[in-house]
Amino acid sequence: MPSWRHHESTAPPGNVRTADSSAPVDGPHLYGQAALDLRWAFEQVIGPDAVERAIASLPPTEAQRYRQLTPLSWIDYETTRRVNDALARESGQTVDELFAKAIPMAVERSFSTVWRMLIRLTTDKALIARTPLIYRRTRSHGEMRAEVLGRGEARVQVTGFPEIPDRDVMALGLSIRSLLGLAGRKSVTVDGRRSPDGATWTVRWDRGS
């Protein structure tokens, strides 16, 4: 079975840099399509009514900001944090528990639409080399690099984002694991850690027969 291990640590503050010139520069943001896919997944996990109640519990300006999301807009991390906390309260689950259920569903939904070609790549090197594209198209700050270390092992790093939230380290680890699973890799494990300039994930898998 795939496994996920998340190690929390403290990273010092520092400068961030924008990975996409069209993205906001006033703090980290999540791309609208990614946020909408995740909202859809939350609705599958706890139900649309519970999601709407959670959104309605937010301050009106934040609730409006979240409801007005479009696939091409951006939403700030602070709003998404408050939404996730509200969803956890409404569902009686922790954010980590919700992420573990919802993020694989959101990744699968994304790859059934936007990034279908990526999971058709068959070699480990090609698959891992394209992984940073996901980050660049979903998050405004930092840059992701990935390299194959050997058979069934890779290292993925985010730099330029020293204040990356622990939740994002977890979410990205779950996304990487889900991507490799969709691409046919077996027994995927992802070990994520904060680093002084961002985060690092050690990824291992079996190719299967």
Side-chain angles (χ1 to χ4, degrees):
M1 295 290 292
S3 68
W4 157 251
R5 297 190 297 278
H6 172 221
H7 303 269
E8 293 188 2
S9 64
T10 302
N15 294 326
V16 295
R17 68 187 178 88
T18 302
D20 185 332
S21 60
S22 67
V25 295
D26 58 336
H29 285 65
L30 185 68
Y31 195 47
Q33 184 62 63
L36 290 171
D37 284 340
L38 191 54
R39 174 175 174 167
W40 171 86
F42 286 137
E43 290 175 346
Q44 310 313 302
V45 172
I46 67 173
D49 291 344
V51 170
E52 181 53 38
R53 287 194 299 271
I55 297 170
S57 73
L58 299 171
T61 55
E62 289 188 340
Q64 182 181 27
R65 188 180 306 130
Y66 190 73
R67 289 192 179 107
Q68 291 180 341
L69 265 175
T70 71
L72 299 180
S73 64
W74 294 85
I75 187 164
D76 62 281
Y77 267 41
E78 182 60 22
T79 297
T80 62
R81 183 188 67 80
R82 293 181 184 274
V83 169
N84 293 335
D85 287 343
L87 290 167
R89 288 192 301 270
E90 181 64 37
S91 66
Q93 303 179 60
T94 67
V95 173
D96 286 5
E97 289 170 337
L98 286 176
F99 275 11
K101 297 171 185 176
I103 286 176
M105 299 173 67
V107 171
E108 184 171 1
R109 178 179 172 89
S110 295
F111 279 95
S112 70
T113 55
V114 182
W115 296 311
R116 263 174 286 183
M117 289 300 297
L118 182 58
I119 59 175
R120 294 179 184 175
L121 299 171
T122 55
T123 69
D124 291 346
K125 184 175 181 180
L127 181 64
I128 295 300
R130 295 292 295 278
T131 300
L133 179 64
I134 303 168
Y135 188 91
R136 199 156 51 242
R137 292 189 175 180
T138 59
R139 287 163 172 83
S140 66
H141 276 52
E143 182 177 353
M144 178 178 279
R145 297 183 177 88
E147 60 178 334
V148 173
L149 300 177
R151 182 175 177 83
E153 184 175 5
R155 179 171 56 232
V156 180
Q157 293 178 295
V158 165
T159 58
F161 194 1
E163 71 274 39
I164 184 172
D166 287 315
R167 284 182 184 176
D168 220 25
V169 179
M170 179 185 184
L172 287 164
L174 289 166
S175 298
I176 294 166
R177 188 187 73 180
S178 299
L179 165 64
L180 292 179
L182 288 172
R185 278 38 175 193
K186 309 297 183 182
S187 303
V188 182
T189 64
V190 180
D191 187 5
R193 299 174 182 269
R194 293 280 297 277
S195 65
D197 195 34
T200 300
W201 297 262
T202 300
V203 187
R204 296 183 176 89
W205 67 91
D206 293 331
R207 283 193 56 87
S209 56

XYZ file of all heavy atoms in Angstrom, residues 84-149:
529
model
N -10.098 25.303 4.795
C -9.777 23.945 5.243
C -10.104 23.755 6.720
O -10.618 22.699 7.122
C -8.299 23.646 4.985
C -7.966 23.584 3.516
O -8.829 23.307 2.682
N -6.721 23.855 3.176
N -9.808 24.762 7.541
C -10.148 24.676 8.965
C -11.661 24.580 9.156
O -12.148 23.816 10.008
C -9.609 25.896 9.708
C -8.102 25.872 9.886
O -7.494 24.788 9.739
O -7.516 26.943 10.160
N -12.410 25.358 8.371
C -13.872 25.325 8.479
C -14.424 23.969 8.040
O -15.363 23.436 8.650
C -14.485 26.447 7.631
N -13.858 23.409 6.999
C -14.280 22.082 6.542
C -14.006 21.022 7.606
O -14.821 20.115 7.823
C -13.548 21.724 5.249
C -13.944 22.522 4.008
C -12.933 22.303 2.891
C -15.342 22.127 3.543
N -12.861 21.142 8.276
C -12.528 20.194 9.340
C -13.524 20.307 10.491
O -14.007 19.285 11.011
C -11.097 20.437 9.826
N -13.854 21.524 10.890
C -14.831 21.713 11.968
C -16.187 21.146 11.581
O -16.845 20.465 12.371
C -14.970 23.199 12.305
C -13.782 23.799 13.042
C -14.136 25.170 13.596
N -14.540 26.104 12.546
C -13.698 26.904 11.896
N -12.402 26.852 12.155
N -14.138 27.738 10.974
N -16.606 21.437 10.379
C -17.927 20.995 9.927
C -18.022 19.478 9.840
O -19.067 18.890 10.137
C -18.229 21.624 8.561
C -19.581 21.278 7.980
C -20.740 21.798 8.834
O -20.627 22.905 9.402
O -21.772 21.078 8.900
N -16.944 18.842 9.424
C -16.969 17.387 9.205
C -16.581 16.587 10.435
O -16.760 15.362 10.465
C -16.024 17.020 8.060
O -14.677 17.282 8.413
N -16.010 17.252 11.445
C -15.541 16.527 12.615
C -14.283 15.722 12.357
O -13.968 14.792 13.096
N -13.535 16.091 11.313
C -12.283 15.436 10.985
C -11.149 16.456 11.069
O -11.385 17.662 11.069
C -12.333 14.839 9.574
C -13.458 13.848 9.358
C -13.486 13.310 7.943
O -12.533 12.694 7.477
N -14.590 13.536 7.253
N -9.932 15.965 11.108
C -8.795 16.870 11.038
C -8.543 17.245 9.586
O -8.991 16.559 8.655
C -7.528 16.225 11.621
O -7.136 15.135 10.772
C -7.769 15.716 13.032
N -7.811 18.327 9.394
C -7.446 18.720 8.028
C -6.609 17.616 7.378
O -6.796 17.300 6.199
C -6.691 20.056 8.031
C -6.154 20.380 6.640
C -7.596 21.191 8.514
N -5.694 17.011 8.137
C -4.869 15.931 7.591
C -5.735 14.779 7.102
O -5.468 14.194 6.039
C -3.879 15.428 8.639
C -2.735 16.398 8.879
O -2.748 17.501 8.299
O -1.829 16.054 9.660
N -6.768 14.426 7.875
C -7.660 13.339 7.472
C -8.419 13.696 6.195
O -8.580 12.857 5.296
C -8.638 13.021 8.603
C -8.001 12.335 9.793
C -8.922 12.245 11.002
O -9.878 13.057 11.102
O -8.681 11.376 11.855
N -8.891 14.933 6.119
C -9.588 15.370 4.910
C -8.660 15.357 3.704
O -9.035 14.912 2.610
C -10.161 16.770 5.109
C -11.389 16.886 6.003
C -11.767 18.357 6.165
C -12.562 16.112 5.413
N -7.437 15.866 3.875
C -6.467 15.876 2.787
C -6.197 14.460 2.277
O -6.114 14.222 1.063
C -5.155 16.508 3.250
C -5.112 18.009 3.158
C -6.257 18.746 2.895
C -3.929 18.695 3.342
C -6.218 20.129 2.794
C -3.873 20.080 3.248
C -5.014 20.797 2.981
N -6.011 13.523 3.207
C -5.679 12.154 2.813
C -6.774 11.540 1.948
O -6.493 10.708 1.072
C -5.443 11.302 4.050
N -8.018 11.949 2.168
C -9.130 11.426 1.375
C -9.361 12.228 0.099
O -9.648 11.658 -0.959
C -10.411 11.429 2.217
C -10.360 10.537 3.439
C -11.571 10.759 4.333
C -11.480 9.956 5.621
N -12.626 10.241 6.531
N -9.260 13.556 0.211
C -9.673 14.415 -0.896
C -8.597 14.638 -1.943
O -8.898 14.703 -3.148
C -10.145 15.763 -0.349
N -7.342 14.772 -1.533
C -6.309 15.128 -2.500
C -6.121 14.067 -3.582
O -6.024 14.413 -4.768
C -4.995 15.464 -1.782
C -5.130 16.840 -1.104
C -3.804 15.478 -2.749
C -3.947 17.272 -0.279
N -6.090 12.766 -3.254
C -5.993 11.784 -4.356
C -7.152 11.899 -5.346
O -6.950 11.734 -6.556
C -6.012 10.444 -3.614
C -5.454 10.754 -2.261
C -5.992 12.115 -1.936
N -8.344 12.199 -4.854
C -9.484 12.369 -5.748
C -9.312 13.600 -6.625
O -9.629 13.571 -7.829
C -10.769 12.475 -4.926
C -11.074 11.253 -4.093
S -12.489 11.499 -2.977
C -13.816 11.637 -4.160
N -8.808 14.688 -6.042
C -8.595 15.912 -6.817
C -7.529 15.713 -7.880
O -7.663 16.194 -9.017
C -8.199 17.058 -5.877
N -6.459 14.995 -7.532
C -5.402 14.732 -8.508
C -5.939 13.881 -9.659
O -5.674 14.167 -10.833
C -4.206 14.028 -7.829
C -3.202 13.556 -8.864
C -3.530 14.981 -6.844
N -6.705 12.869 -9.326
C -7.270 12.020 -10.384
C -8.197 12.828 -11.288
O -8.185 12.663 -12.510
C -8.022 10.848 -9.772
C -8.555 9.866 -10.812
C -9.120 8.599 -10.198
O -9.125 8.484 -8.955
O -9.550 7.730 -10.969
N -8.987 13.714 -10.694
C -9.870 14.565 -11.492
C -9.051 15.470 -12.408
O -9.388 15.645 -13.588
C -10.744 15.402 -10.564
C -11.691 16.370 -11.282
C -12.508 17.114 -10.234
N -13.298 18.192 -10.804
C -14.530 18.063 -11.281
N -15.105 16.876 -11.290
N -15.187 19.108 -11.758
N -7.981 16.057 -11.891
C -7.142 16.920 -12.706
C -6.562 16.164 -13.891
O -6.525 16.676 -15.019
C -6.000 17.498 -11.857
O -6.488 18.348 -10.847
N -6.102 14.942 -13.641
C -5.460 14.192 -14.711
C -6.450 13.571 -15.679
O -6.058 13.089 -16.737
C -4.524 13.134 -14.126
C -3.204 13.698 -13.728
C -2.974 14.088 -12.421
C -2.208 13.900 -14.659
C -1.761 14.646 -12.049
C -1.001 14.462 -14.302
C -0.774 14.829 -12.996
N -7.731 13.599 -15.323
C -8.734 13.149 -16.287
C -9.121 14.275 -17.227
O -9.837 14.062 -18.197
C -9.985 12.645 -15.550
O -10.688 13.729 -14.952
N -8.641 15.483 -16.934
C -8.999 16.637 -17.749
C -7.759 17.369 -18.247
O -7.341 17.220 -19.393
C -9.893 17.603 -16.946
O -9.218 17.955 -15.719
C -11.229 16.953 -16.595
N -7.114 18.113 -17.355
C -6.096 19.065 -17.776
C -4.797 18.401 -18.203
O -4.182 18.793 -19.200
C -5.822 20.067 -16.634
C -4.789 21.093 -17.075
C -7.105 20.759 -16.208
N -4.324 17.392 -17.456
C -2.978 16.872 -17.652
C -2.963 15.418 -18.115
O -2.113 14.630 -17.712
C -2.175 16.999 -16.360
C -1.956 18.412 -15.949
C -1.502 19.433 -16.711
C -2.189 18.952 -14.652
N -1.418 20.589 -15.977
C -1.830 20.322 -14.710
C -2.644 18.417 -13.441
C -1.938 21.161 -13.606
C -2.752 19.251 -12.343
C -2.402 20.607 -12.438
N -3.902 15.044 -18.961
C -3.996 13.649 -19.382
C -2.704 13.143 -20.018
O -2.307 12.001 -19.823
C -5.148 13.485 -20.382
C -6.425 12.997 -19.757
C -7.560 12.998 -20.760
N -8.023 14.361 -21.021
C -9.039 14.663 -21.809
N -9.684 13.720 -22.442
N -9.419 15.908 -21.975
N -2.044 13.993 -20.789
C -0.848 13.549 -21.504
C 0.283 13.171 -20.559
O 1.095 12.309 -20.871
C -0.366 14.656 -22.455
C -1.260 14.868 -23.665
S -1.394 13.393 -24.695
C 0.306 13.210 -25.212
N 0.342 13.818 -19.395
C 1.458 13.576 -18.491
C 1.512 12.128 -18.030
O 2.582 11.522 -17.987
C 1.366 14.514 -17.289
C 2.495 14.403 -16.267
C 3.846 14.665 -16.925
C 2.271 15.368 -15.121
N 0.389 11.535 -17.670
C 0.415 10.175 -17.140
C 0.575 9.136 -18.247
O 0.690 7.959 -17.956
C -0.830 9.860 -16.290
C -2.118 10.019 -17.102
C -0.858 10.718 -15.042
C -3.359 9.592 -16.339
N 0.602 9.564 -19.505
C 0.897 8.627 -20.584
C 2.398 8.409 -20.750
O 2.824 7.518 -21.477
C 0.303 9.134 -21.899
C -1.228 9.160 -21.899
C -1.779 9.689 -23.205
N -3.225 9.793 -23.174
C -3.953 10.322 -24.150
N -3.344 10.795 -25.242
N -5.263 10.390 -24.049
N 3.195 9.249 -20.091
C 4.642 9.068 -20.157
C 5.000 7.791 -19.413
O 4.590 7.588 -18.281
C 5.346 10.268 -19.528
C 5.074 11.613 -20.217
C 5.636 12.744 -19.376
C 5.678 11.636 -21.599
N 5.770 6.924 -20.037
C 5.973 5.595 -19.467
C 7.277 5.451 -18.694
O 7.345 4.660 -17.764
C 5.940 4.534 -20.581
O 6.909 4.873 -21.588
C 4.559 4.470 -21.204
N 8.329 6.181 -19.070
C 9.600 5.999 -18.379
C 9.612 6.787 -17.072
O 8.993 7.848 -16.954
C 10.787 6.451 -19.245
O 10.759 7.873 -19.391
C 10.722 5.791 -20.623
N 10.333 6.263 -16.086
C 10.450 6.965 -14.817
C 11.053 8.351 -15.009
O 10.587 9.326 -14.421
C 11.323 6.154 -13.856
C 10.654 4.872 -13.399
O 9.433 4.729 -13.598
O 11.362 4.008 -12.850
N 12.085 8.424 -15.819
C 12.783 9.701 -16.006
C 11.849 10.744 -16.602
O 11.821 11.901 -16.153
C 14.001 9.503 -16.905
C 14.845 10.761 -17.062
C 16.105 10.480 -17.875
C 16.954 11.734 -18.014
N 18.193 11.474 -18.800
N 11.073 10.356 -17.607
C 10.159 11.303 -18.244
C 9.053 11.735 -17.281
O 8.678 12.909 -17.215
C 9.552 10.677 -19.498
N 8.545 10.783 -16.518
C 7.475 11.090 -15.579
C 7.952 12.050 -14.493
O 7.307 13.065 -14.211
C 6.954 9.798 -14.940
C 5.814 9.950 -13.936
C 4.577 10.503 -14.608
C 5.511 8.602 -13.277
N 9.084 11.747 -13.887
C 9.604 12.585 -12.809
C 10.000 13.960 -13.341
O 9.800 14.988 -12.690
C 10.795 11.898 -12.122
C 10.341 10.620 -11.420
C 11.459 12.837 -11.127
C 9.295 10.834 -10.340
N 10.562 13.995 -14.545
C 10.987 15.270 -15.124
C 9.816 16.216 -15.343
O 9.983 17.444 -15.291
C 11.723 15.030 -16.437
N 8.620 15.666 -15.578
C 7.459 16.514 -15.821
C 6.713 16.892 -14.542
O 5.826 17.744 -14.574
C 6.490 15.798 -16.772
C 7.040 15.575 -18.169
C 7.212 16.873 -18.935
N 5.964 17.544 -19.191
C 5.142 17.252 -20.190
N 5.447 16.280 -21.040
N 4.017 17.922 -20.352
N 7.054 16.248 -13.432
C 6.347 16.516 -12.179
C 6.342 17.996 -11.798
O 5.306 18.515 -11.345
C 6.943 15.670 -11.042
O 6.821 14.280 -11.378
C 6.227 15.921 -9.726
N 7.452 18.727 -11.952
C 7.423 20.153 -11.577
C 6.397 20.981 -12.335
O 6.010 22.060 -11.868
C 8.849 20.619 -11.896
C 9.685 19.388 -11.731
C 8.825 18.286 -12.277
N 5.940 20.492 -13.487
C 4.923 21.218 -14.238
C 3.658 21.369 -13.408
O 2.975 22.402 -13.472
C 4.614 20.481 -15.541
C 3.543 21.080 -16.447
C 3.994 22.439 -16.953
C 3.262 20.139 -17.613
N 3.348 20.352 -12.607
C 2.160 20.415 -11.758
C 2.287 21.572 -10.780
O 1.349 22.346 -10.588
C 1.993 19.094 -10.985
C 1.924 17.916 -11.948
C 0.760 19.132 -10.095
C 2.044 16.581 -11.262
N 3.449 21.685 -10.168
C 3.657 22.750 -9.188
C 3.557 24.118 -9.842
O 2.887 25.019 -9.347
C 5.029 22.571 -8.522
C 5.251 23.513 -7.364
C 4.907 23.144 -6.078
C 5.795 24.785 -7.566
C 5.093 24.013 -5.006
C 5.983 25.654 -6.504
C 5.632 25.260 -5.228
O 5.813 26.130 -4.191
N 4.213 24.262 -10.977
C 4.280 25.555 -11.646
C 2.889 26.032 -12.068
O 2.635 27.232 -12.139
C 5.207 25.443 -12.850
C 5.726 26.762 -13.372
C 7.035 26.572 -14.137
N 6.974 25.544 -15.145
C 7.718 24.440 -15.156
N 8.567 24.205 -14.178
N 7.633 23.558 -16.125
N 2.000 25.082 -12.350
C 0.667 25.452 -12.820
C -0.376 25.486 -11.710
O -1.563 25.691 -11.999
C 0.227 24.485 -13.920
C 1.053 24.634 -15.185
C 0.486 23.836 -16.319
N 1.214 24.076 -17.566
C 0.923 23.498 -18.721
N -0.070 22.637 -18.794
N 1.631 23.760 -19.799
N 0.038 25.278 -10.467
C -0.930 25.304 -9.383
C -0.561 26.255 -8.258
O -1.432 26.650 -7.493
C -1.118 23.900 -8.768
O 0.136 23.416 -8.276
C -1.673 22.929 -9.804
N 0.714 26.658 -8.148
C 1.146 27.486 -7.034
C 1.969 28.667 -7.533
O 2.720 28.537 -8.494
C 1.925 26.648 -6.025
C 1.004 25.721 -5.225
C 1.745 24.612 -4.539
N 0.872 23.868 -3.637
C 0.059 22.894 -4.030
N 0.011 22.533 -5.300
N -0.693 22.258 -3.136
N 1.834 29.781 -6.829
C 2.437 31.023 -7.313
C 3.872 31.213 -6.863
O 4.605 31.982 -7.481
C 1.602 32.217 -6.838
O 1.663 32.335 -5.418
N 4.271 30.592 -5.767
C 5.580 30.869 -5.170
C 6.463 29.634 -5.179
O 5.986 28.511 -5.005
C 5.422 31.372 -3.730
C 5.151 32.836 -3.646
N 4.144 33.440 -4.350
C 5.757 33.823 -2.937
C 4.130 34.728 -4.083
N 5.098 34.994 -3.234
N 7.759 29.877 -5.353
C 8.724 28.791 -5.316
C 8.863 28.098 -6.656
O 8.162 28.382 -7.630
N 9.813 27.182 -6.692
C 10.073 26.397 -7.900
C 10.349 24.954 -7.496
O 11.067 24.693 -6.530
C 11.275 26.946 -8.659
C 11.577 26.195 -9.948
C 12.721 26.807 -10.730
O 13.192 27.893 -10.342
O 13.147 26.184 -11.719
N 9.782 24.027 -8.240
C 9.978 22.610 -7.963
C 10.957 22.013 -8.968
O 10.890 22.289 -10.164
C 8.647 21.846 -8.025
C 8.779 20.341 -7.791
S 7.192 19.454 -7.806
C 6.621 19.788 -6.137
N 11.877 21.196 -8.441
C 12.794 20.418 -9.275
C 12.662 18.954 -8.879
O 12.380 18.644 -7.716
C 14.235 20.875 -9.074
C 14.518 22.307 -9.487
C 16.000 22.642 -9.324
N 16.329 23.991 -9.775
C 16.266 25.061 -9.005
N 15.902 24.937 -7.733
N 16.577 26.248 -9.476
N 12.893 18.071 -9.831
C 12.783 16.644 -9.547
C 13.829 15.889 -10.346
O 14.134 16.246 -11.490
C 11.387 16.134 -9.908
N 14.380 14.849 -9.735
C 15.375 14.030 -10.418
C 15.270 12.593 -9.944
O 14.967 12.312 -8.784
C 16.784 14.559 -10.142
C 17.175 14.562 -8.674
C 18.589 15.042 -8.445
O 19.412 14.911 -9.370
O 18.883 15.549 -7.339
N 15.519 11.682 -10.867
C 15.572 10.262 -10.538
C 16.940 9.970 -9.938
O 17.974 10.317 -10.513
C 15.328 9.400 -11.791
C 15.553 7.920 -11.475
C 13.911 9.621 -12.325
N 16.949 9.333 -8.769
C 18.200 9.006 -8.088
C 18.690 7.604 -8.452
O 19.895 7.327 -8.383
C 18.019 9.096 -6.572
C 17.594 10.464 -6.036
C 17.390 10.383 -4.535
C 18.609 11.535 -6.399
